[in-house]
Amino acid sequence: MKRFDALAVLAELTRDVPVVVTCAASSRELAAIADRPNHLYLLDSMGLAGSVATGLALRLGDAPLPRVVAIEGDGSLLMNPNVLATAGYLRPRKLLMVLLDNGVYGATANLPTHAGRLDLGRMAAAAGWTTRVTATADELCDAWTELEGIEGPVLLHVRIEPGNATDIPKLLEDPVILGRRFQDWLLTHAGATR
Ligand SMILES: [Mg+2]
């Protein structure tokens, strides 16, 4: 399973919850599969999907939403591993981070990340996260169901193969527009206030 395949599964599973997704190929591929207003694409903000989702999950603790989802890559999480400690300490109960771990930086010619030697799932578990490891689309769906109702922070560690999807258009929308669209979705669906 490559990133695109995992994102196609996740797009179906996250139709009704806020999704904060890391930059570059992850955002582009998700937008190519389904560009929805519940998606916040963190264009050029590498390493911050988990942090933004942590803040949202804390703020939306009483909102009528079951989850706040972050989609991270291994290289991106390694840029800001502090989020594992922060969320492990603050324990936002709706936070679910999906880690798409292919062991490489997909945006820079598949250079290896430290994830080849470091187990990011075990790092999260050491910080107090509930974790599951999956490697196929079926396992991903099963783990998603199994984790329903389990309080966060939860890390779904998805082992994927390296490789970007081809012919994916660049995501050139103004981030201000994307942010406002996401804000409006939250106002409608989460009872959030500005
Ligand atoms: Mg990667």
Side-chain angles (χ1 to χ4, degrees):
M1 180 170 64
K2 291 188 176 179
R3 183 195 307 106
F4 191 83
D5 308 310
L7 287 171
V9 173
L10 291 167
E12 286 304 309
L13 294 171
T14 59
R15 284 176 172 274
D16 302 316
V17 294
V19 179
V20 183
V21 57
T22 190
C23 57
S26 301
S27 277
R28 285 197 300 274
E29 291 183 6
L30 180 60
I33 293 163
D35 183 19
R36 300 193 183 114
N38 61 316
H39 297 172
L40 179 60
Y41 309 107
L42 293 190
L43 308 182
D44 299 328
S45 298
M46 188 172 178
L48 291 177
S51 298
V52 172
T54 294
L56 278 173
L58 291 170
R59 175 66 178 82
L60 298 173
D62 297 323
L65 293 167
R67 286 290 190 207
V68 173
V69 175
I71 300 178
E72 268 290 18
D74 50 305
S76 187
L77 182 57
L78 282 160
M79 179 170 273
N80 178 26
N82 176 62
V83 69
L84 298 178
T86 300
Y89 179 80
L90 295 174
R91 308 197 63 75
R93 60 189 175 85
K94 292 187 177 178
L95 179 64
L96 187 154
M97 182 190 290
V98 181
L99 173 63
L100 301 179
D101 185 354
N102 58 9
V104 300
Y105 292 99
T108 51
N110 288 343
L111 291 169
T113 72
H114 294 342
R117 293 188 190 172
L118 304 181
D119 188 326
L120 295 171
R122 288 180 63 188
M123 287 173 63
W129 293 56
T130 298
T131 65
R132 294 289 186 279
V133 185
T134 70
T136 67
D138 287 343
E139 288 176 8
L140 173 54
C141 290
D142 289 347
W144 189 276
T145 302
E146 182 195 345
L147 289 166
E148 281 177 5
I150 291 184
E151 293 202 351
V154 172
L155 182 87
L156 188 44
H157 189 180
V158 186
R159 301 265 188 201
I160 58 172
E161 301 163 35
N164 301 335
T166 56
D167 299 325
I168 300 295
K170 291 189 181 303
L171 196 47
L172 298 175
E173 184 60 271
D174 187 332
V176 173
I177 302 293
L178 293 170
R180 179 58 186 265
R181 183 180 73 163
F182 181 71
Q183 237 181 359
D184 287 345
W185 185 89
L186 283 176
L187 287 167
T188 304
H189 293 81
T193 53
R194 292 190 195 279

